[in-house]
């Protein structure tokens, strides 16, 4: 069956360092991969989208990579700040789907310490 | 401001009771979605609708019902048949293209009395 895995353990890093979060998937051929940020008690907020034919996407301090051979996406936050502390979700859409449906990973919680 | 409004923020259900969660949007988006989020788990799709007067079951539709009588509104009813309704419920919308990001409301937390 289709499966998306994110690190279930929280990631704790020091302010100023680069945070790297992982999203792995199996039995799936996504056309698009998206990353969202979720704060406690709030809905997720869209951050970045990367297509299957793109290797890398950047937005300010954020960088996403997409390796369809390894079936993996990495999400990087450079020069991390305590305000970056949140749960980060990856989500996939199927190439043949025209419904906009997303399949979400369980999320990784990032804690940036000052 | 454009956005998605979910209400109420907190809801309590008694045994045998049906409760309805509201989701309203003014983004003029065609597609709307309901997700359930449990601690330590990803979002699971309950129902979705791509157009008014039409909706489809998601992965965990049992015990839930929806309607889509207006483009702006997609209410979710948690029926008494849903035996484990305690969760965080999220409503989302997106435009007509499948690669567009989803926009989320701030959720309703449902608990059992």
């Amino acid at each position: 069956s289709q499966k998306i895995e994110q690190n279930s353990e929280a990631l704790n890093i020091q302010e100023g360092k680069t945070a790297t979060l992982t999203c792995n998937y199996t039995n799936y051929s996504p056309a698009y991969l998206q990353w969202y940020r979720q704060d406690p008690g709030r809905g997720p907020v869209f951050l970045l989208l990367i297509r299957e034919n793109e290797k890398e996407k950047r937005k300010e301090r954020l960088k996403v990579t997409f390796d369809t051979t390894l079936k993996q996406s990495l999400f990087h936050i450079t020069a991390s700040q305590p305000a970056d502390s949140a749960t980060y979700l990856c989500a996939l859409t199927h190439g043949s789907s025209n419904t906009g449906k997303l399949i979400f990973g369980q999320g990784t919680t990032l804690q940036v310490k000052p | 401001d454009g956005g998605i409004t979910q209400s109420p923020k907190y809801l309590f259900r008694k045994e045998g009771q049906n409760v309805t969660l509201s989701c309203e949007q003014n983004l003029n988006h065609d597609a709307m979605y309901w997700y359930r989020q449990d601690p330590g788990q990803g979002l699971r799709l309950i129902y979705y609708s791509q157009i008014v007067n039409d909706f489809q079951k998601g992965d965990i539709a049992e015990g839930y019902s929806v309607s889509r009588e207006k483009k702006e509104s997609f209410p979710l009813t948690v029926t008494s048949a849903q035996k484990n309704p305690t969760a965080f419920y999220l409503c989302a919308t997106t435009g007509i293209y499948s690669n567009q990001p989803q926009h989320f409301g701030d959720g309703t937390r449902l608990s059992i009395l």
Side-chain angles (χ1 to χ4, degrees):
Chain A
S1 63
Q2 298 165 351
K3 206 171 177 183
I4 301 174
E5 291 279 347
Q6 295 185 251
N7 286 353
S8 56
E9 290 184 17
L11 179 62
N12 295 296
I13 65 168
Q14 206 65 37
E15 183 176 7
K17 301 292 186 184
T18 296
T20 299
L21 285 68
T22 305
C23 177
N24 295 300
Y25 57 92
T26 58
N27 299 327
Y28 204 55
S29 297
Y32 310 100
L33 188 147
Q34 302 180 22
W35 283 89
Y36 290 79
R37 169 185 172 138
Q38 185 176 24
D39 291 289
R42 305 294 299 273
V45 174
F46 170 74
L47 295 174
L48 280 168
L49 178 150
I50 188 165
R51 293 173 173 77
E52 62 179 338
N53 60 354
E54 296 176 315
K55 297 288 184 197
E56 182 179 297
K57 202 80 168 280
R58 291 176 186 259
K59 179 183 175 183
E60 298 172 353
R61 294 184 296 110
L62 309 180
K63 184 178 86 171
V64 172
T65 64
F66 194 8
D67 189 327
T68 54
T69 302
L70 290 179
K71 295 186 181 295
Q72 181 181 78
S73 174
L74 298 178
F75 177 79
H76 306 272
I77 306 175
T78 58
S80 59
Q81 305 165 0
D84 294 325
S85 300
T87 296
Y88 292 86
L89 304 167
C90 72
L92 307 175
T93 55
H94 195 284
S96 61
S97 169
N98 63 352
T99 64
K101 289 197 301 180
L102 293 175
I103 298 177
F104 282 85
Q106 75 271 39
T108 298
T109 298
L110 172 67
Q111 188 72 34
V112 181
K113 297 182 189 291
Chain B
D1 276 354
I4 301 164
T5 302
Q6 288 190 242
S7 61
K9 191 162 180 66
Y10 299 96
L11 188 58
F12 297 91
R13 196 192 86 170
K14 295 179 182 177
E15 279 298 324
Q17 187 182 41
N18 293 352
V19 292
T20 298
L21 286 59
S22 170
C23 178
E24 302 281 330
Q25 58 113 348
N26 60 6
L27 299 171
N28 200 33
H29 283 167
D30 292 288
M32 298 186 74
Y33 308 82
W34 274 106
Y35 293 94
R36 171 181 172 138
Q37 187 175 32
D38 293 281
Q41 295 193 36
L43 280 63
R44 292 183 290 167
L45 183 64
I46 305 172
Y47 269 98
Y48 65 100
S49 168
Q50 292 181 278
I51 196 168
V52 175
N53 292 323
D54 187 52
F55 49 82
Q56 307 295 328
K57 292 182 179 179
D59 301 316
I60 55 165
E62 187 174 347
Y64 301 97
S65 66
V66 293
S67 62
R68 186 86 186 276
E69 296 176 3
K70 299 186 300 181
K71 188 175 184 178
E72 301 79 18
S73 179
F74 191 40
L76 173 74
T77 297
V78 184
T79 74
S80 57
Q82 173 50 246
K83 297 307 179 190
N84 183 23
T86 298
F88 190 48
Y89 290 87
L90 288 158
C91 176
T93 71
T94 193
I96 61 172
Y97 299 107
S98 63
N99 62 334
Q100 291 183 339
Q102 292 189 3
H103 299 256
F104 286 83
D106 271 340
T108 292
R109 190 166 299 279
L110 176 62
S111 303
I112 296 294
L113 275 179

